[in-house]
Amino acid sequence: MEKLYIGTNWKMHKSIKEGREYTQKLKEMARNKNERMQLFIIPPYTSLSILREEMDSSILLGAQNMHWEDEGPFTGEISPSMLKEIGIDLVELGHSERRQYYNENNVDLNKKVHAALDKEIIPLLCIGEKLEDKELGVSEESLSVQLKICLNNISTTQIKNVLIAYEPVWAIGAGGTEASTNYVHKMHDHIRKVLLEIFGDNGYDIPILFGGSVNRGNAIEYLTGQNVNGLFIGRSAWDLEKFEPILNDIEQFLQQK
Ligand code: PGA
């Protein structure tokens, strides 16, 4: 796969002012980047409109969640057409924090993936096994179930517009443990196998990103995996002083490839 997707979800961080400053600097940094590196940022809803106005199409702009219905009595929710109206490019679906704290489940995520594709918004579907799955030796089974339900009834044409983020739940956030490179590569290979099983050869076209405690020390190692097509970074990307060296390393990695 030609492209590497490199991006960050800001979670519930950054005011509008902070978000604008970050984005201005990132745009500068990205000016001469390798064309094979596709950057994306996923700010909180409150920053989306203003950042859309200030950003060109070189960095993809995403939302952190959305409902599957277009309108209705769903207090606190944001619909696909509302996001489309702002002009966002992608939507993150099923982050483990959403699954854990807001009871997101695979069946509802499947509706969200369909809704995003119907509106031509790229779904960035997050999957990952919990620590107990890993300890019981059923990580691969857990990933298969999540993929098969979340991608149920997606056509082979539509699947080309989907991104997958593999994020082991136990590796995410400040309390997370870094996953070993071997483990990450093995899980990505498994995910590719399941995608090929479901979508035939079209499964080769689906980018699989890795996320969970990615930092400068492990980023390039993770990217050496045949089926690792990008990185989804939290804490190490929120501060551009930390993110810039990672981007420079990836730039070099791409030049050597
Ligand atoms: P982290 O977050 O890089 O801070 O572990 C990753 C994520 O939640 O996507």
Side-chain angles (χ1 to χ4, degrees), residues 23-227:
T23 312
Q24 286 303 332
K25 285 194 202 139
L26 185 64
K27 263 172 34 185
E28 286 294 313
M29 282 165 41
R31 192 156 285 158
N32 297 313
K33 73 172 171 50
N34 192 309
E35 280 175 8
R36 286 161 60 207
M37 193 192 318
Q38 177 60 66
L39 292 174
F40 65 91
I41 56 167
I42 308 190
Y45 290 126
T46 44
S47 294
L48 288 178
S49 278
I50 187 120
L51 293 183
R52 176 73 298 166
E53 280 166 26
E54 294 182 1
M55 281 165 63
D56 56 29
S57 56
S58 64
I59 301 173
L60 300 177
L61 180 66
Q64 296 180 13
N65 178 36
M66 67 169 200
H67 199 278
W68 59 87
E69 292 286 352
D70 242 3
E71 57 179 24
F74 302 108
T75 301
E77 291 289 323
I78 303 277
S79 84
S81 41
M82 290 167 186
L83 294 180
K84 193 69 195 172
E85 186 182 18
I86 297 174
I88 67 132
D89 305 297
L90 63 87
V91 63
E92 176 179 4
L93 298 174
H95 188 279
S96 72
E97 288 152 12
R98 300 248 9 126
R99 292 177 188 255
Q100 186 181 347
Y101 304 127
Y102 306 101
N103 301 320
E104 291 239 350
N105 63 65
N106 294 323
V107 173
D108 287 348
L109 285 167
N110 179 237
K111 294 182 205 161
K112 294 185 180 195
V113 173
H114 278 281
L117 290 168
D118 287 348
K119 284 281 180 301
E120 295 181 348
I121 298 171
I122 301 165
L124 171 59
L125 174 67
C126 303
I127 58 167
E129 79 284 3
K130 294 184 190 151
L131 182 59
E132 68 217 50
D133 298 326
K134 180 169 171 270
E135 286 174 350
L136 289 166
V138 294
S139 300
E140 296 188 351
E141 285 85 345
S142 163
L143 296 175
S144 301
V145 167
Q146 292 176 55
L147 285 168
K148 287 181 182 173
I149 301 177
C150 294
L151 300 176
N152 184 39
N153 259 326
I154 302 295
S155 72
T156 47
T157 324
Q158 287 175 312
I159 195 64
K160 293 179 182 156
N161 300 316
V162 174
L163 303 175
I164 306 286
Y166 166 55
E167 302 202 292
V169 178
W170 48 270
I172 291 176
T177 312
E178 265 185 49
S180 74
T181 310
N182 278 348
Y183 185 84
V184 170
H185 291 178
K186 187 165 164 239
M187 292 304 133
H188 276 248
D189 293 348
H190 173 74
I191 293 167
R192 179 71 68 212
K193 196 180 99 206
V194 177
L195 293 173
L196 291 170
E197 219 179 274
I198 310 175
F199 299 104
D201 279 356
N202 294 294
Y204 284 117
D205 300 332
I206 309 165
I208 310 169
L209 287 59
F210 178 72
S213 293
V214 173
N215 57 51
R216 193 176 182 195
N218 59 25
I220 299 299
E221 278 286 306
Y222 287 147
L223 285 176
T224 57
Q226 195 193 346
N227 288 307

